[in-house]
Amino acid sequence: RTRTCLVCPPHAHVELVVVSTSDLASDVWTHVCESSTASGVSQSRLKHTITMHVVWVFWVTTALSAGASGSFAAARASHSHSDAEAPATIQFASVFESSNGVNPVLQQEQWVAVWGNSSSIGGQVRLSIAGVEVGTAMVGQDHEWSGLVQPQSTNWNVALTATVDGVSSTATVNFGIVILCSGQSNMQMPVAARAPGMFTADNGTAEAAAAGRYTGKIAIMSIETQFPIPTAPPWNGTRCDGYPRLKDPACRPHPVWNSVSPGPNGTVRGFSAVCWYTGKQLFEALNETVPIGLIVGSVGGSPIEVWLPQGYVNTSGSCGIDSPPCDIQNNLTDSIFYDRYIHPFAPYTLGGVVWDQGERDVHCFSPATNHTARYPCLERLLIESWRLAFNSSFVFVAVQLPGYIGDCDTVGANPSASYPNCVPGVYNMRMAQDAGTAGDSTAALAVTYDLSCSFGSKPPDCPFGSVHNVQKVPVARRIVRQLLRLLNLLAAPEGPRAIAATAVRGDTATSNWSIAVDIHGGVAPYTFRGTQNCAKCCGDIKAAGDFDVSSDGGVTFVNGTTPVAMDGHAAFELSVNLLRPPTHVRYTANQGFPQCALYDSNGLPLYPFQLSVTE
């Protein structure tokens, strides 16, 4: 009975399968979507997905007599007769109601799912705006209805009306951009601390105090509240008491939108810092004319497996079996956080998803080691499954891991790196995150290795650990740029990527090699400069840079030095001493905290990479 609509692949064949009540005990009508194109989703996979996410389900009463032939019309007539004296009622679900001083934000320029309930079983629901029909729905035997509203342009204070049997209900909504933010602790960390000594984003207290200027313009919604003074019922409409109450099966979240309110007891203070700054900067980038809706569902220390819907982890042959689980220490089963923190929002139509996660899968709890090799597949499945669950062709932005000291594999660490480090695990996850979005023109990365803390486990600029950078504003700036680009709201290229590498021996008498790396993307000119919290920055790159080179097929690496942007060319070159010809070059793998990055003229850094080298 999942209220979910499925977007079929382009040119797909849609077949209505009619099932009589005598043929199937559960008595359902459903649409089966069979892919007829190379859409990347096999027919068997698609059918499996539909089995999990039933589209437009109508439950047929088993009380119908055989003479009634199982027709829905007969059920409608019978119900109408028995309830002839009762007036019809209809209402929208709570998530579409104006509450806490704010209107719900519906995704602009897309078909939008809306739903509610009515006493008029079998009744035809007409959805309209300003008297013009924009969609229809039918009331099911369970008194629930759901339908799709035609795409609407940006608009404020729109009266969306649902009418059945002469009775109407109106929801006042805004049409803008809806963003779902999810992941682990770096997404969960709030704008300002709930109590002394707890995480506060850089300038977070002042940010929360000044948030009132966005009241009525940005709406926020969450399942797990992080607020300092919860109210009864909680501000977020969960009708639960917050974590760990959410573990109780009796908890039935009913999310509602909330207004932005300032101050120490306001709604912004405990909201996700990354999500808030992303929404705020997105609103400002669009000249403060487009409503923004922000939804958060995140849990610190969580692996990606717990965010996938049931049936997408162990039943997926392409990604392998999740055994042992990544987080057996906390008894986290696959899909548990999807069920608690994501599914309650579905199928609310989304414009974008921001995903900030990966640290836990770099180093799982024993007996598991890491799930980095499986991560690209799991990330693709997360995107696919969430698009199905939310009936949305949303854009997806993943935040790539910064540098940090903590849970990461140390095998193969470069002994000549300038800092003690456990780099390979973090670097490998950066590459896995990139691979998971590759090939999807509506997915991208926000690169952040150059926004790392300064070196140390708890340096002064990151008092909550180097893995928990308090400087969230520049991270959000990178996210927003990608969102604008993917939503076709900003004509701008991605940052630069390395596409080819060529080696030339300095002279036959030495072991010095010069490696030229060609660049694609970004905007010239390209320059090397220090990263956000660098210590050595670009001043000592002759001793050790952020590039390293292999001459044995990528098994071992040594530092490359003296990277220089080549004037007039989309390329740079670096030097290395090797007895044998170079075979591979890579970037951001040899130091835990990258020091000197290549930037384009927009301030976007070179993507981490590994390339084969030709002579």
Side-chain angles (χ1 to χ4, degrees), residues 52-401:
M52 297 169 52
H53 302 282
V54 180
V55 186
W56 298 118
V57 179
F58 298 94
W59 292 87
V60 184
T61 176
T62 57
L64 291 175
S65 64
S69 71
S71 71
F72 195 82
R76 163 79 169 146
S78 173
H79 177 80
S80 298
H81 176 75
S82 62
D83 289 349
E85 298 180 0
T89 60
I90 187 171
Q91 65 180 19
F92 286 90
S94 59
V95 75
F96 300 106
E97 297 175 354
S98 298
S99 59
N100 304 310
V102 69
N103 294 335
V105 180
L106 304 187
Q107 179 59 38
Q108 64 185 28
E109 311 297 348
Q110 286 193 34
W111 289 87
V112 173
V114 295
W115 60 92
N117 60 74
S118 171
S119 63
S120 188
I121 292 178
Q124 181 82 6
V125 178
R126 179 177 180 266
L127 300 167
S128 61
I129 295 175
V132 178
E133 184 174 296
V134 293
T136 60
M138 183 175 286
V139 182
Q141 284 291 107
D142 56 2
H143 296 275
E144 295 184 352
W145 60 268
S146 58
L148 295 175
V149 173
Q150 295 172 5
Q152 304 292 313
S153 57
T154 302
N155 210 343
W156 301 78
N157 302 314
V158 177
L160 174 63
T161 300
T163 303
V164 65
D165 291 345
V167 177
S168 298
S169 176
T170 297
T172 303
V173 301
N174 299 330
F175 284 93
I177 298 176
V178 181
I179 304 295
L180 171 62
C181 304
S182 187
Q184 54 183 101
S185 56
N186 271 309
M187 180 60 78
Q188 188 179 27
M189 295 297 184
V191 173
R194 292 173 290 164
M198 299 186 72
F199 183 94
T200 294
D202 191 30
N203 204 39
T205 302
E207 180 70 25
R213 68 182 299 265
Y214 302 97
T215 300
K217 303 171 184 178
I218 299 176
I220 58 179
M221 180 162 55
S222 174
I223 290 293
E224 182 184 2
T225 178
Q226 292 290 327
F227 288 74
I229 303 179
T231 59
W235 73 276
N236 58 16
T238 62
R239 300 180 188 173
C240 304
D241 299 328
Y243 195 84
R245 175 78 169 88
L246 286 167
K247 292 183 176 180
D248 189 338
C251 169
R252 292 292 181 267
H254 296 273
V256 297
W257 287 102
N258 293 266
S259 178
V260 168
S261 58
N265 298 328
T267 54
V268 168
R269 179 174 180 174
F271 198 71
S272 160
V274 169
C275 196
W276 168 252
Y277 285 122
T278 295
K280 171 190 167 181
Q281 293 183 37
L282 182 61
F283 180 69
E284 293 172 344
L286 297 173
N287 300 314
E288 302 189 0
T289 60
V290 179
I292 302 296
L294 302 175
I295 306 172
V296 170
S298 57
V299 179
S302 56
I304 191 172
E305 292 85 348
V306 301
W307 295 103
L308 287 162
Q310 294 184 27
Y312 275 86
V313 184
N314 285 325
T315 58
S316 173
S318 59
C319 295
I321 302 299
D322 186 26
S323 179
C326 186
D327 193 352
I328 196 171
Q329 176 173 306
N330 293 306
N331 196 30
L332 295 184
T333 58
D334 293 335
S335 308
I336 186 171
F337 288 157
Y338 172 84
D339 292 340
R340 290 178 185 169
Y341 303 107
I342 301 300
H343 178 69
F345 297 119
Y348 203 93
T349 306
L350 306 175
V353 167
V354 178
W355 177 247
D356 193 345
Q357 191 276 335
E359 297 92 338
R360 173 52 60 215
D361 287 278
V362 170
H363 193 87
C364 301
F365 289 110
S366 180
T369 53
N370 71 71
H371 287 178
T372 309
R374 301 174 62 225
Y375 197 90
C377 181
L378 293 171
E379 188 175 37
R380 286 189 291 269
L381 281 184
L382 183 136
I383 298 170
E384 172 195 329
S385 63
W386 286 20
R387 283 175 174 165
L388 290 172
F390 285 90
N391 188 41
S392 306
S393 53
F394 57 72
V395 301
F396 182 89
V397 178
V399 180
Q400 199 176 45
L401 289 187

Side-chain angles (χ1 to χ4, degrees), residues 439-497:
D440 186 340
S441 62
T442 57
L445 288 178
V447 178
T448 66
Y449 67 84
D450 63 315
L451 304 179
S452 307
C453 299
S454 57
F455 174 71
S457 58
K458 288 189 176 182
D461 52 359
C462 292
F464 304 98
S466 60
V467 71
H468 295 138
N469 195 332
V470 299
Q471 296 163 323
K472 301 300 187 186
V473 172
V475 174
R477 189 177 300 122
R478 298 265 175 90
I479 295 169
V480 169
R481 185 179 178 87
Q482 291 288 38
L483 286 173
L484 290 170
R485 185 182 65 82
L486 294 172
L487 289 168
N488 297 315
L489 298 173
L490 176 68
E494 286 193 273
R497 286 183 178 271

